Structures are given as structure tokens and as C-alpha cells.
Amino acid sequence: MNMNYWNHDVEQRRNTQPARDSERSPHTFDQEKSGLSGTAEAPIGVFDSGVGGLTILAALRQELPYENYIYFGDTAHCPYGTRSDAEIIELSVRICSFLIEQGVKLIVVACNTASQAALNSLRATFTSIRFVGVVPAVKPAARATKKGRIGIAATNQAAKAIYLQQLIDEFAGGIQAYAVGCPELVTLVEQGELDGLAVEEMVNQALQPIIREDVDVIVLGCTHFPALRPVIERVTAQKIHIIDSGTAVARRTHYVLDTEGLIQPDNSNYAHMGNLKVWCSGDADVFSNVANKLLGYSINAYQARL
């Protein structure tokens, strides 16, 4: 297996195995159940460095429509992809403390970079709460490729992380994998710039390093990137299969809740989806405007300073 990087400032990171929730076996999970608490009626917590995790939230609400959700976007400290592991862990711990104070029964770390850097620390710090992380969909990409060549678009930190090499070694043996950091795409999504000629040009430039490697599958290794999926499909002339982790994370969350007996009780009186409360650490009006574009329905975010 060959791994190629366009981030030349590769730095060595802790040699820890990634927390691959969507890949872990039921047997492994069953061994981790003891000592957890919560009630079925409690909300699910979801957090990201900014608005990107709303793509995961959308998948969760489709899979588990009657659950209540609390979302936190850490827009005051976005992007995480340029921060150190220590900073990401500290920020993630603060956010999870906030969500746990709101009474959540499970936390979805809807950020690839935070999942890589902080998920193990979060599980060690908050032993009474369940966590579901998100990682690049390398395994399904390896299954889908016919050329044996896949591209992975990620944040700078995720693209050069040792964990990504481990992930590819485990699930994509014999596959040529090409990773590229695309921080400018995170910026586009955070600014609510999701379409148009200028956006298309930026997306094209960002993805060229992997497109020109003749890949037939591109993994969206950052939860911001699915917000640009229509543009990405145009740029690739719909000839490259685009894969993200949203559905897998939603299914994993469903499995964890079901296994723990924490699915929101079925109630035929439910006429609508469960409740959603949205918080952010930056400007709440800006966040609300971008979130409305991304989700396709109106939300009003509240600001919480951590």
C-alpha cells in the first residue's frame, strides 16, 4: 500500500490507534457497556469545530427522527485542523462538559479532527457517557474502488495523521491512497459559501492533487465537506464516487442506543421530529444563517462561552 501526502510539513503524532466506531465489532462494543448511565428520554449531544457537524446531525435526524438533539458548534475556535492535539483535547473536554450538564445520554463527536485527537481522552475523562466518533470512510471506499486508487480529502491535520495511515493499512491493503488537506473548503462552509462559480473554482483547485491521480473514489474526510457535495460532483463530472461518513455514524449511533436500551420510546402521538437546540461559541446570528442554508430549515442558535 502506498500513501502519498501533499502536506510536506508532516509531523509525527502520538502512535495511537484511531477510535473507529463505525468499524468496531458488536462483540467489542458489548465489552464496553458496563458502568454507563442515562435515560432514553434524554437528548443526544452532537459537536463539531463549527457548522460541519450539521451534516452528521442531518443524517442522525433521518435515522433517528424522534430523538431530541443538542448541537454545539465551536465557531470561536474553528478550524481545529490547524490546532495541536492538546488544544483540541482541551476544547473537546470543555464542550462535552457543557453537553453533559445539559443532560445528554450520548455524545457524537461530529468532527474528524476531534475524533482523531480527542476521542480516547474523552472516553477516559467521561466514563459514564457513551461516545460515537467519526472517521474517514476508508473501508467502504476500498470496497467501492474498481481502479484500486482512492483519494481522501481532509483537514491538514487529518491528512497527515499517523492514524490515517493505520486506518488505510487495516482496511485498504493493496489500495493506492492519496490524501490532501483542504482547509479552504472548511472556510467556505463556515462562511456559508456553498455554491457558485468562485466556490466551484476553489473546490476544483483543492481537489486537483487527488483528481489527477486517476482515483475513482473520493472520501470526504471532514464533516464540513458534504455541504459542498453538489459542487464536488460537478467538479468531478460525476465520474468519481463520493463517500462520506454520515450514514455510518447515524447507524452506529442507532446501534449504540438500541444496545443500551436508550432509544427514545416510540410514541404514536409524535407528529413531528424531536426537538433540536443549537449552541455555538461564536456569533450566534452568523451561525444561524449558515446553519439555515446547510440544513434547509430555520434554526436559532444560542451563544455559550466556554
Side-chain angles (χ1 to χ4, degrees), residues 2-42:
N2 232 345
M3 181 85 178
N4 297 276
Y5 297 93
W6 283 270
N7 303 95
H8 298 294
D9 59 335
V10 176
E11 58 185 83
Q12 290 298 309
R13 299 190 178 272
R14 293 197 310 267
N15 189 17
T16 55
Q17 292 292 331
R20 296 180 291 269
D21 287 282
S22 60
E23 310 295 353
R24 289 155 70 205
S25 69
H27 174 70
T28 301
F29 177 72
D30 289 343
Q31 292 179 319
E32 300 172 356
K33 293 195 302 181
S34 60
L36 301 175
S37 61
T39 62
E41 292 78 11

Short mmCIF file of all heavy atoms in Angstrom, two decimals, residues 2-42:
data_model
loop_
_atom_site.label_atom_id
_atom_site.label_comp_id
_atom_site.label_asym_id
_atom_site.label_seq_id
_atom_site.Cartn_x
_atom_site.Cartn_y
_atom_site.Cartn_z
N ASN A 2 0.51 2.18 -0.78
CA ASN A 2 1.25 3.42 -0.90
C ASN A 2 0.42 4.56 -0.35
O ASN A 2 -0.75 4.66 -0.66
CB ASN A 2 1.51 3.70 -2.38
CG ASN A 2 2.97 3.97 -2.64
OD1 ASN A 2 3.70 4.23 -1.72
ND2 ASN A 2 3.34 3.92 -3.90
N MET A 3 1.01 5.44 0.44
CA MET A 3 0.30 6.60 0.95
C MET A 3 1.05 7.84 0.49
O MET A 3 2.26 7.91 0.65
CB MET A 3 0.26 6.57 2.47
CG MET A 3 -0.49 7.73 3.05
SD MET A 3 -2.24 7.43 3.13
CE MET A 3 -2.75 8.94 3.89
N ASN A 4 0.38 8.79 -0.10
CA ASN A 4 1.02 9.98 -0.60
C ASN A 4 0.40 11.21 0.05
O ASN A 4 -0.81 11.30 0.19
CB ASN A 4 0.85 10.08 -2.12
CG ASN A 4 1.54 8.93 -2.83
OD1 ASN A 4 2.71 8.99 -3.08
ND2 ASN A 4 0.80 7.87 -3.12
N TYR A 5 1.24 12.18 0.42
CA TYR A 5 0.77 13.39 1.07
C TYR A 5 1.18 14.62 0.26
O TYR A 5 2.27 14.66 -0.31
CB TYR A 5 1.39 13.54 2.47
CG TYR A 5 1.02 12.46 3.43
CD1 TYR A 5 1.82 11.33 3.58
CD2 TYR A 5 -0.14 12.55 4.19
CE1 TYR A 5 1.47 10.33 4.46
CE2 TYR A 5 -0.48 11.56 5.08
CZ TYR A 5 0.33 10.44 5.20
OH TYR A 5 -0.02 9.46 6.09
N TRP A 6 0.33 15.65 0.27
CA TRP A 6 0.72 16.93 -0.29
C TRP A 6 1.02 17.92 0.83
O TRP A 6 1.34 19.05 0.59
CB TRP A 6 -0.36 17.47 -1.22
CG TRP A 6 -0.28 16.75 -2.51
CD1 TRP A 6 0.44 17.09 -3.60
CD2 TRP A 6 -0.92 15.52 -2.84
NE1 TRP A 6 0.30 16.15 -4.58
CE2 TRP A 6 -0.53 15.18 -4.14
CE3 TRP A 6 -1.77 14.66 -2.15
CZ2 TRP A 6 -0.96 14.04 -4.78
CZ3 TRP A 6 -2.21 13.52 -2.79
CH2 TRP A 6 -1.81 13.22 -4.08
N ASN A 7 0.93 17.49 2.07
CA ASN A 7 1.31 18.32 3.22
C ASN A 7 2.76 17.98 3.54
O ASN A 7 3.04 16.94 4.12
CB ASN A 7 0.42 18.04 4.44
CG ASN A 7 -1.03 18.25 4.11
OD1 ASN A 7 -1.71 17.30 3.78
ND2 ASN A 7 -1.50 19.47 4.21
N HIS A 8 3.70 18.85 3.18
CA HIS A 8 5.11 18.50 3.32
C HIS A 8 5.62 18.72 4.74
O HIS A 8 6.73 18.29 5.07
CB HIS A 8 5.95 19.30 2.32
CG HIS A 8 5.58 18.99 0.90
ND1 HIS A 8 5.80 17.75 0.35
CD2 HIS A 8 4.99 19.74 -0.06
CE1 HIS A 8 5.38 17.76 -0.92
NE2 HIS A 8 4.87 18.95 -1.18
N ASP A 9 4.85 19.40 5.57
CA ASP A 9 5.29 19.62 6.95
C ASP A 9 4.78 18.51 7.84
O ASP A 9 4.24 18.72 8.92
CB ASP A 9 4.80 20.98 7.46
CG ASP A 9 3.28 21.09 7.43
OD1 ASP A 9 2.67 20.37 6.62
OD2 ASP A 9 2.73 21.90 8.20
N VAL A 10 4.98 17.28 7.39
CA VAL A 10 4.48 16.13 8.15
C VAL A 10 5.14 16.10 9.52
O VAL A 10 6.35 16.18 9.63
CB VAL A 10 4.77 14.81 7.41
CG1 VAL A 10 4.33 13.63 8.26
CG2 VAL A 10 4.05 14.80 6.07
N GLU A 11 4.32 16.01 10.55
CA GLU A 11 4.87 15.92 11.89
C GLU A 11 4.44 14.60 12.51
O GLU A 11 3.36 14.09 12.23
CB GLU A 11 4.39 17.09 12.75
CG GLU A 11 2.89 17.19 12.87
CD GLU A 11 2.45 18.42 13.61
OE1 GLU A 11 2.37 19.48 12.96
OE2 GLU A 11 2.19 18.32 14.81
N GLN A 12 5.28 14.04 13.33
CA GLN A 12 4.94 12.78 13.99
C GLN A 12 3.93 13.05 15.10
O GLN A 12 4.08 13.98 15.89
CB GLN A 12 6.21 12.15 14.59
CG GLN A 12 7.17 11.65 13.54
CD GLN A 12 6.54 10.55 12.69
OE1 GLN A 12 5.99 9.60 13.23
NE2 GLN A 12 6.62 10.71 11.39
N ARG A 13 2.93 12.21 15.15
CA ARG A 13 1.91 12.35 16.18
C ARG A 13 1.88 11.10 17.02
O ARG A 13 2.49 10.09 16.69
CB ARG A 13 0.54 12.60 15.53
CG ARG A 13 0.56 13.90 14.73
CD ARG A 13 -0.83 14.29 14.30
NE ARG A 13 -0.76 15.54 13.58
CZ ARG A 13 -0.83 16.73 14.16
NH1 ARG A 13 -0.99 16.83 15.45
NH2 ARG A 13 -0.73 17.83 13.44
N ARG A 14 1.17 11.17 18.12
CA ARG A 14 1.10 10.02 19.02
C ARG A 14 0.66 8.80 18.25
O ARG A 14 -0.29 8.83 17.50
CB ARG A 14 0.10 10.30 20.15
CG ARG A 14 0.54 11.39 21.09
CD ARG A 14 -0.28 11.29 22.36
NE ARG A 14 -1.68 11.21 22.07
CZ ARG A 14 -2.47 12.26 22.01
NH1 ARG A 14 -2.00 13.46 22.18
NH2 ARG A 14 -3.76 12.10 21.75
N ASN A 15 1.34 7.70 18.50
CA ASN A 15 1.05 6.47 17.76
C ASN A 15 -0.10 5.73 18.44
O ASN A 15 0.08 4.69 19.05
CB ASN A 15 2.30 5.59 17.71
CG ASN A 15 2.12 4.42 16.77
OD1 ASN A 15 1.20 4.43 15.95
ND2 ASN A 15 2.97 3.43 16.90
N THR A 16 -1.27 6.33 18.35
CA THR A 16 -2.46 5.72 18.95
C THR A 16 -3.39 5.22 17.87
O THR A 16 -3.51 5.83 16.82
CB THR A 16 -3.22 6.75 19.83
OG1 THR A 16 -3.52 7.88 19.03
CG2 THR A 16 -2.37 7.17 21.01
N GLN A 17 -4.05 4.13 18.15
CA GLN A 17 -5.00 3.60 17.19
C GLN A 17 -6.22 4.50 17.13
O GLN A 17 -6.67 4.99 18.16
CB GLN A 17 -5.43 2.18 17.60
CG GLN A 17 -4.32 1.15 17.48
CD GLN A 17 -3.94 0.88 16.06
OE1 GLN A 17 -4.78 1.00 15.16
NE2 GLN A 17 -2.70 0.53 15.81
N PRO A 18 -6.76 4.74 15.97
CA PRO A 18 -7.96 5.57 15.88
C PRO A 18 -9.16 4.87 16.50
O PRO A 18 -9.22 3.65 16.53
CB PRO A 18 -8.16 5.73 14.37
CG PRO A 18 -7.49 4.54 13.78
CD PRO A 18 -6.33 4.23 14.67
N ALA A 19 -10.10 5.67 17.00
CA ALA A 19 -11.32 5.11 17.59
C ALA A 19 -12.34 4.95 16.48
O ALA A 19 -13.09 5.85 16.18
CB ALA A 19 -11.83 6.04 18.69
N ARG A 20 -12.36 3.78 15.85
CA ARG A 20 -13.17 3.59 14.64
C ARG A 20 -14.54 3.04 15.02
O ARG A 20 -14.80 1.85 14.89
CB ARG A 20 -12.45 2.65 13.68
CG ARG A 20 -11.15 3.21 13.16
CD ARG A 20 -10.48 2.24 12.22
NE ARG A 20 -10.01 1.07 12.92
CZ ARG A 20 -8.79 0.95 13.43
NH1 ARG A 20 -7.93 1.93 13.33
NH2 ARG A 20 -8.43 -0.15 14.04
N ASP A 21 -15.44 3.91 15.46
CA ASP A 21 -16.73 3.45 15.94
C ASP A 21 -17.52 2.70 14.89
O ASP A 21 -18.13 1.68 15.17
CB ASP A 21 -17.56 4.64 16.45
CG ASP A 21 -17.02 5.14 17.77
OD1 ASP A 21 -17.30 4.49 18.79
OD2 ASP A 21 -16.29 6.12 17.78
N SER A 22 -17.52 3.22 13.67
CA SER A 22 -18.35 2.58 12.65
C SER A 22 -17.75 1.25 12.19
O SER A 22 -18.40 0.50 11.49
CB SER A 22 -18.52 3.51 11.45
OG SER A 22 -17.28 3.82 10.88
N GLU A 23 -16.51 0.96 12.60
CA GLU A 23 -15.86 -0.28 12.19
C GLU A 23 -15.76 -1.29 13.33
O GLU A 23 -15.38 -2.43 13.12
CB GLU A 23 -14.43 0.01 11.69
CG GLU A 23 -14.33 1.11 10.66
CD GLU A 23 -15.03 0.77 9.36
OE1 GLU A 23 -15.47 -0.39 9.21
OE2 GLU A 23 -15.12 1.64 8.49
N ARG A 24 -16.07 -0.86 14.57
CA ARG A 24 -15.88 -1.76 15.70
C ARG A 24 -16.96 -2.84 15.72
O ARG A 24 -18.09 -2.62 15.37
CB ARG A 24 -15.90 -0.95 17.01
CG ARG A 24 -14.66 -0.10 17.17
CD ARG A 24 -14.90 1.09 18.05
NE ARG A 24 -15.07 0.70 19.44
CZ ARG A 24 -15.74 1.42 20.32
NH1 ARG A 24 -16.30 2.53 19.95
NH2 ARG A 24 -15.85 1.02 21.56
N SER A 25 -16.58 -4.01 16.17
CA SER A 25 -17.50 -5.15 16.16
C SER A 25 -18.49 -5.06 17.30
O SER A 25 -18.20 -4.46 18.34
CB SER A 25 -16.71 -6.45 16.28
OG SER A 25 -16.15 -6.55 17.57
N PRO A 26 -19.66 -5.68 17.15
CA PRO A 26 -20.61 -5.73 18.26
C PRO A 26 -20.00 -6.34 19.51
O PRO A 26 -20.29 -5.92 20.62
CB PRO A 26 -21.76 -6.59 17.70
CG PRO A 26 -21.68 -6.39 16.22
CD PRO A 26 -20.21 -6.26 15.92
N HIS A 27 -19.15 -7.35 19.35
CA HIS A 27 -18.53 -8.00 20.50
C HIS A 27 -17.67 -7.01 21.28
O HIS A 27 -17.72 -6.95 22.50
CB HIS A 27 -17.67 -9.19 20.04
CG HIS A 27 -16.88 -9.81 21.16
ND1 HIS A 27 -17.49 -10.54 22.17
CD2 HIS A 27 -15.55 -9.80 21.44
CE1 HIS A 27 -16.55 -10.96 23.03
NE2 HIS A 27 -15.37 -10.52 22.60
N THR A 28 -16.87 -6.20 20.54
CA THR A 28 -16.03 -5.21 21.19
C THR A 28 -16.89 -4.21 21.95
O THR A 28 -16.59 -3.86 23.09
CB THR A 28 -15.19 -4.45 20.14
OG1 THR A 28 -14.39 -5.41 19.45
CG2 THR A 28 -14.30 -3.42 20.81
N PHE A 29 -17.97 -3.76 21.32
CA PHE A 29 -18.83 -2.79 21.98
C PHE A 29 -19.49 -3.38 23.21
O PHE A 29 -19.59 -2.74 24.25
CB PHE A 29 -19.90 -2.27 21.02
CG PHE A 29 -20.86 -1.32 21.70
CD1 PHE A 29 -20.44 -0.06 22.06
CD2 PHE A 29 -22.15 -1.72 21.99
CE1 PHE A 29 -21.31 0.80 22.70
CE2 PHE A 29 -23.01 -0.86 22.64
CZ PHE A 29 -22.59 0.41 22.99
N ASP A 30 -19.93 -4.63 23.13
CA ASP A 30 -20.60 -5.28 24.26
C ASP A 30 -19.70 -5.32 25.49
O ASP A 30 -20.18 -5.25 26.62
CB ASP A 30 -21.03 -6.70 23.89
CG ASP A 30 -22.19 -6.71 22.91
OD1 ASP A 30 -22.85 -5.66 22.78
OD2 ASP A 30 -22.41 -7.75 22.26
N GLN A 31 -18.39 -5.41 25.25
CA GLN A 31 -17.46 -5.46 26.37
C GLN A 31 -17.30 -4.09 27.05
O GLN A 31 -16.77 -4.00 28.14
CB GLN A 31 -16.09 -5.94 25.87
CG GLN A 31 -16.09 -7.40 25.43
CD GLN A 31 -14.72 -7.81 24.92
OE1 GLN A 31 -14.05 -7.05 24.22
NE2 GLN A 31 -14.30 -9.00 25.28
N GLU A 32 -17.77 -3.03 26.39
CA GLU A 32 -17.59 -1.67 26.90
C GLU A 32 -18.84 -1.11 27.57
O GLU A 32 -18.84 0.03 28.02
CB GLU A 32 -17.18 -0.74 25.75
CG GLU A 32 -15.89 -1.14 25.08
CD GLU A 32 -15.63 -0.31 23.83
OE1 GLU A 32 -16.52 0.50 23.49
OE2 GLU A 32 -14.58 -0.47 23.22
N LYS A 33 -19.90 -1.88 27.64
CA LYS A 33 -21.19 -1.33 28.06
C LYS A 33 -21.27 -1.02 29.55
O LYS A 33 -22.01 -0.15 29.97
CB LYS A 33 -22.33 -2.29 27.70
CG LYS A 33 -22.56 -2.44 26.22
CD LYS A 33 -23.89 -3.09 25.96
CE LYS A 33 -23.98 -4.44 26.64
NZ LYS A 33 -25.26 -5.11 26.38
N SER A 34 -20.55 -1.77 30.36
CA SER A 34 -20.73 -1.68 31.81
C SER A 34 -20.39 -0.29 32.33
O SER A 34 -19.51 0.39 31.81
CB SER A 34 -19.85 -2.71 32.51
OG SER A 34 -18.51 -2.47 32.20
N GLY A 35 -21.11 0.14 33.35
CA GLY A 35 -20.81 1.39 34.01
C GLY A 35 -21.38 2.62 33.34
O GLY A 35 -21.11 3.74 33.75
N LEU A 36 -22.18 2.46 32.30
CA LEU A 36 -22.75 3.61 31.61
C LEU A 36 -24.13 3.93 32.15
O LEU A 36 -24.85 3.06 32.62
CB LEU A 36 -22.82 3.32 30.10
CG LEU A 36 -21.48 3.02 29.44
CD1 LEU A 36 -21.68 2.64 27.98
CD2 LEU A 36 -20.52 4.18 29.54
N SER A 37 -24.50 5.18 32.08
CA SER A 37 -25.79 5.60 32.62
C SER A 37 -26.52 6.47 31.61
O SER A 37 -25.98 6.88 30.61
CB SER A 37 -25.58 6.39 33.92
OG SER A 37 -24.81 7.54 33.66
N GLY A 38 -27.81 6.77 31.91
CA GLY A 38 -28.57 7.64 31.02
C GLY A 38 -30.01 7.20 30.96
O GLY A 38 -30.38 6.13 31.42
N THR A 39 -30.87 8.06 30.40
CA THR A 39 -32.27 7.72 30.24
C THR A 39 -32.65 7.88 28.78
O THR A 39 -32.09 8.70 28.05
CB THR A 39 -33.16 8.65 31.09
OG1 THR A 39 -32.98 10.00 30.64
CG2 THR A 39 -32.79 8.57 32.56
N ALA A 40 -33.60 7.09 28.34
CA ALA A 40 -34.00 7.08 26.93
C ALA A 40 -34.55 8.42 26.48
O ALA A 40 -34.44 8.79 25.31
CB ALA A 40 -35.01 5.96 26.69
N GLU A 41 -35.19 9.15 27.40
CA GLU A 41 -35.81 10.42 27.03
C GLU A 41 -34.79 11.55 26.88
O GLU A 41 -35.12 12.61 26.36
CB GLU A 41 -36.85 10.82 28.07
CG GLU A 41 -38.07 9.91 28.11
CD GLU A 41 -37.82 8.60 28.84
OE1 GLU A 41 -36.75 8.49 29.50
OE2 GLU A 41 -38.65 7.68 28.75
N ALA A 42 -33.57 11.34 27.33
CA ALA A 42 -32.55 12.39 27.29
C ALA A 42 -32.13 12.67 25.85
O ALA A 42 -32.24 11.82 24.97
CB ALA A 42 -31.34 11.97 28.12
#
